[in-house]
């Protein structure tokens, strides 16, 4: 049973990869199990899309969030000219909803330590993923004046963005006439912008202290 399921999994995977990797997938597909003369993966039926279960949706969402955390850490490295070979610490302000994926983040972003903290300490570069704030302690790897300028520019953008979202949400015609999901999306944008603004203000205050 396990063997058949494994073969079936690889069969499906090869069919999905075939349009992008035609030659190697054909070779592998021909050899993972016995085929009839003239059989080819080119004529095999593609797997049908199945709606993910609630558990699968949650897992997909978590991996998407982990991907964003990794991308933000890499962006910080690039902006601060930090070598990707040098491990960095990562702090999660409050609880860490991605605790089960810490090993993935550590491997992909080269973090030496991922820990939960009540509040940020010292000079750090912070970012928001979902509603969770993360921070990378920078130590001496920062030009305070340049960092303040970047943070204040970002703060101005986020405040302008929040103002535009609030303008929509204060419009009764929009709120009453738009689909519920559209209104919910705008409310999520508002919450995210407010979180980012609060984090930026904290970072600016820490640099000015």
């Amino acid at each position: 049973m396990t063997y058949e399921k494994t073969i079936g999994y690889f069969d499906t995977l090869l069919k999905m990869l075939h349009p992008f990797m035609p030659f190697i997938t054909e070779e592998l597909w021909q050899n993972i199990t016995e085929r009839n003369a003239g059989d080819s993966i080119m004529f095999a039926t593609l797997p049908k899309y199945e709606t993910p279960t609630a558990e699968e949706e949650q897992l997909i969402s978590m991996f998407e969030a982990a991907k964003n955390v990794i991308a933000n850490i890499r962006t910080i490295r690039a902006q601060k000219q930090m070598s990707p070979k040098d491990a960095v610490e990562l702090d999660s302000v409050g609880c860490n909803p991605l605790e089960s994926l810490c090993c993935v983040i550590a491997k992909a972003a080269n973090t030496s330590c991922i820990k939960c903290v009540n509040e940020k300490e010292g000079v750090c570069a912070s970012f928001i993923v979902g509603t969770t704030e993360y921070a990378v302690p920078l130590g001496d790897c920062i030009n305070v004046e340049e960092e303040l300028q970047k943070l204040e520019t970002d703060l101005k953008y986020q405040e302008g963005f929040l103002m535009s979202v609030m303008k929509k949400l204060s419009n009764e015609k929009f709120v009453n006439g738009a689909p519920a999901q559209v209104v919910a999306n705008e409310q999520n944008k508002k919450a995210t912008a407010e979180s980012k603004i609060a984090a930026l203000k904290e970072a600016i205050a820490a640099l000015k202290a």
Side-chain angles (χ1 to χ4, degrees):
M1 177 66 74
T2 301
Y3 175 79
E4 285 79 7
K5 285 188 175 181
T6 303
I7 293 298
Y9 169 79
F10 278 109
D11 186 88
T12 299
L13 186 61
L14 290 170
K15 289 175 184 176
M16 294 173 66
L17 283 173
H18 181 68
F20 310 99
M21 304 170 63
F23 300 107
I24 185 66
T25 48
E26 178 72 57
E27 186 70 18
L28 291 171
W29 187 82
Q30 291 288 350
N31 286 280
I32 60 171
T33 189
E34 292 185 8
R35 305 291 181 188
N36 296 321
D39 282 352
S40 171
I41 195 173
M42 291 189 295
F43 308 118
T45 303
L46 288 172
K48 293 183 179 179
Y49 172 78
E50 295 182 4
T51 304
T53 63
E55 291 79 8
E56 289 170 338
E57 287 282 11
Q58 183 180 15
L59 188 60
I60 291 170
S61 177
M62 287 178 65
F63 266 95
E64 186 65 26
K67 184 181 74 173
N68 288 335
V69 170
I70 293 164
N72 274 283
I73 294 173
R74 290 176 175 175
T75 298
I76 290 169
R77 286 183 183 279
Q79 291 175 341
K80 312 305 178 190
Q81 297 182 338
M82 301 165 68
S83 171
K85 295 181 180 179
D86 296 333
V88 298
E89 293 183 6
L90 178 66
D91 293 340
S92 172
V93 182
C95 64
N96 181 11
L98 302 177
E99 189 173 354
S100 61
L101 295 177
C102 279
C103 58
V104 176
I105 296 171
K107 181 68 175 178
N110 190 16
T111 58
S112 60
C113 175
I114 302 176
K115 63 182 187 295
C116 295
V117 297
N118 293 325
E119 58 183 22
K120 295 175 291 184
E121 296 182 3
V123 178
C124 57
S126 61
F127 56 90
I128 303 287
V129 173
T131 57
T132 303
E133 183 179 7
Y134 295 90
V136 176
L138 296 175
D140 298 326
C141 304
I142 185 173
N143 181 308
V144 175
E145 291 184 4
E146 288 183 2
E147 186 65 16
L148 273 173
Q149 187 176 5
K150 289 177 183 178
L151 291 174
E152 288 170 348
T153 299
D154 194 10
L155 176 61
K156 185 177 180 180
Y157 168 79
Q158 293 297 338
E159 287 176 336
F161 177 76
L162 177 61
M163 192 178 296
S164 67
V165 174
M166 292 295 293
K167 186 176 181 180
K168 278 187 179 181
L169 291 175
S170 63
N171 185 331
E172 291 186 9
K173 185 176 180 181
F174 168 76
V175 174
N176 295 329
Q181 186 59 49
V182 173
V183 177
N185 287 340
E186 292 301 316
Q187 290 171 335
N188 287 336
K189 289 179 183 178
K190 173 179 175 289
T192 300
E194 288 173 339
S195 296
K196 288 182 177 180
I197 288 169
L200 286 166
K201 287 181 176 180
E202 284 182 17
I204 291 170
L207 287 175
K208 289 182 175 180

